[in-house]
């Protein structure tokens, strides 16, 4: 059955909050119920996302302005090539990070979270129908991250996580759905799924 009103759903949170896992599990729950759905991430896996991944791995440096411009460019492609075509096909789109991440992560000495949010909104990027924010204390996030294997990414220190957490609180819109990220992953996924159904049916 074609879904006439697909929703654009965004997941945000600091590193270690579990939003990537959540985005995947909610997508699986939807598909299991035969609800058309597709998941994407930002930075994307498109050409514009490659430079950002190099930056995140510490292989290249970008100043604050270059970071913002690179994330904006990637977001344009993300919308053009992934998000908008999928919504047009009737699929619900679940996106792991969006413009709120740029406002939170790229804010610093030169740009406030509000400045960066404004830059994004001026681009007329599509506003999500549902915005989930996985709320987690930076200390708990860092403990989780230190248990993970592999290389540390750029923003994974306590000072940075605290800055990012505070920045999110400044810019998240009023209708953001706050999720307590200390709850178990299955419980959180079901909570988001139920909220999705309510929104779709209501
Ligand atoms: P993340 O989403 O946590 O995925 P993974 O765990 O697979 O690496 O990592 C993406 C990183 O990109 C994260 O540290 C935040 C950063 N980022 C920004 O700094 N600005 C942005 O606009 C976006 C979308 C991501």
């Amino acid at each position: 059955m074609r879904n006439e009103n697909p929703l654009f759903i965004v997941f945000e949170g600091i590193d270690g909050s579990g939003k990537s896992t959540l985005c995947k599990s909610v997508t699986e729950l939807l598909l299991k119920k035969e609800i058309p759905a597709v998941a994407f991430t930002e930075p994307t896996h498109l050409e514009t996302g490659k430079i950002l991944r190099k930056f995140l791995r510490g292989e290249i440096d970008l100043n604050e302005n270059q970071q913002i411009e690179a994330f904006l460019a990637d977001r344009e492609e993300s919308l053009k090539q992934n998000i908008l075509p999928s919504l047009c096909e009737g699929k619900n789109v679940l996106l792991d990070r969006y413009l709120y991440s740029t406002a939170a992560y790229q804010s610093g000495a030169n740009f406030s979270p509000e400045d960066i949010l404004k830059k994004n909104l001026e681009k007329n990027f599509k506003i999500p129908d549902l915005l989930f924010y996985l709320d987690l204390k930076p200390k708990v996030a860092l403990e989780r991250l230190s248990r993970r294997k592999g290389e540390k990414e750029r923003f994974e220190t306590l000072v940075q996580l605290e800055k990012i957490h505070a920045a999110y609180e400044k810019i998240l819109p009023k209708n953001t759905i706050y999720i307590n990220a200390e709850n178990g992953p299955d419980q959180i996924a079901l909570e988001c799924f139920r909220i999705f159904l309510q929104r779709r049916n209501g």
Side-chain angles (χ1 to χ4, degrees):
M1 192 181 71
R2 196 180 154 84
N3 182 2
E4 296 299 342
N5 284 311
L7 299 181
F8 175 33
I9 304 151
V10 168
F11 296 88
E12 289 280 358
I14 59 176
D15 293 85
S17 61
K19 71 184 167 34
S20 304
T21 309
L22 176 65
C23 184
K24 284 193 200 107
S25 349
V26 179
T27 308
E28 279 163 19
L29 284 172
L30 263 63
L31 291 172
K32 239 190 239 164
K33 298 276 176 202
E34 296 186 5
I35 300 170
V38 60
F40 295 108
T41 63
E42 288 191 13
T44 66
H45 293 282
L46 303 167
E47 228 19 72
T48 44
K50 282 189 187 153
I51 181 177
L52 288 166
R53 291 181 187 280
K54 280 193 182 163
F55 160 72
L56 291 167
R57 286 194 300 264
E59 292 167 15
I60 54 165
D61 267 322
L62 297 174
N63 67 31
E64 274 181 26
N65 194 44
Q66 290 170 325
Q67 289 172 47
I68 294 170
E69 292 306 320
F71 277 109
L72 288 176
D74 190 40
R75 186 153 301 125
E76 278 201 48
E77 291 307 309
S78 170
L79 281 155
K80 213 188 284 173
Q81 299 194 41
N82 295 340
I83 301 167
L84 298 175
S86 301
L87 289 169
C88 272
E89 286 167 18
K91 289 180 189 150
N92 292 284
V93 171
L94 294 88
L95 183 62
D96 182 354
R97 296 198 182 282
Y98 193 45
L99 56 89
Y100 312 97
S101 282
T102 316
Y105 279 78
Q106 272 63 52
S107 59
N110 301 315
F111 298 93
S112 70
E114 293 87 349
D115 291 338
I116 303 172
L117 181 69
K118 195 161 160 253
K119 269 180 187 279
N120 275 273
L121 297 177
E122 282 168 1
K123 292 267 180 194
N124 285 321
F125 291 143
K126 187 173 174 62
I127 300 298
D129 298 303
L130 283 174
L131 171 58
F132 290 110
Y133 174 65
L134 251 79
D135 199 8
L136 191 64
K137 288 189 197 80
K139 258 197 185 149
V140 182
L142 196 66
E143 280 163 21
R144 286 188 185 177
L145 289 168
S146 61
R147 285 199 296 268
R148 278 190 199 164
K149 287 199 203 102
E151 291 291 305
K152 248 189 162 189
E153 280 204 340
R154 217 168 249 278
F155 300 107
E156 299 179 359
T157 67
L158 188 59
V159 173
Q160 283 162 327
L161 291 173
E162 276 170 348
K163 181 215 94 174
I164 296 159
H165 189 264
Y168 264 127
E169 290 189 340
K170 286 192 187 137
I171 52 91
L172 285 171
K174 276 210 189 76
N175 58 359
T176 303
I177 301 157
Y178 283 73
I179 303 286
N180 180 355
E182 292 208 45
N183 290 333
D186 294 345
Q187 181 188 338
I188 295 178
L190 278 174
E191 187 182 344
C192 294
F193 179 59
R194 272 197 290 268
I195 294 170
F196 164 84
L197 288 178
Q198 267 171 15
R199 174 62 193 262
R200 194 187 63 151
N201 302 334

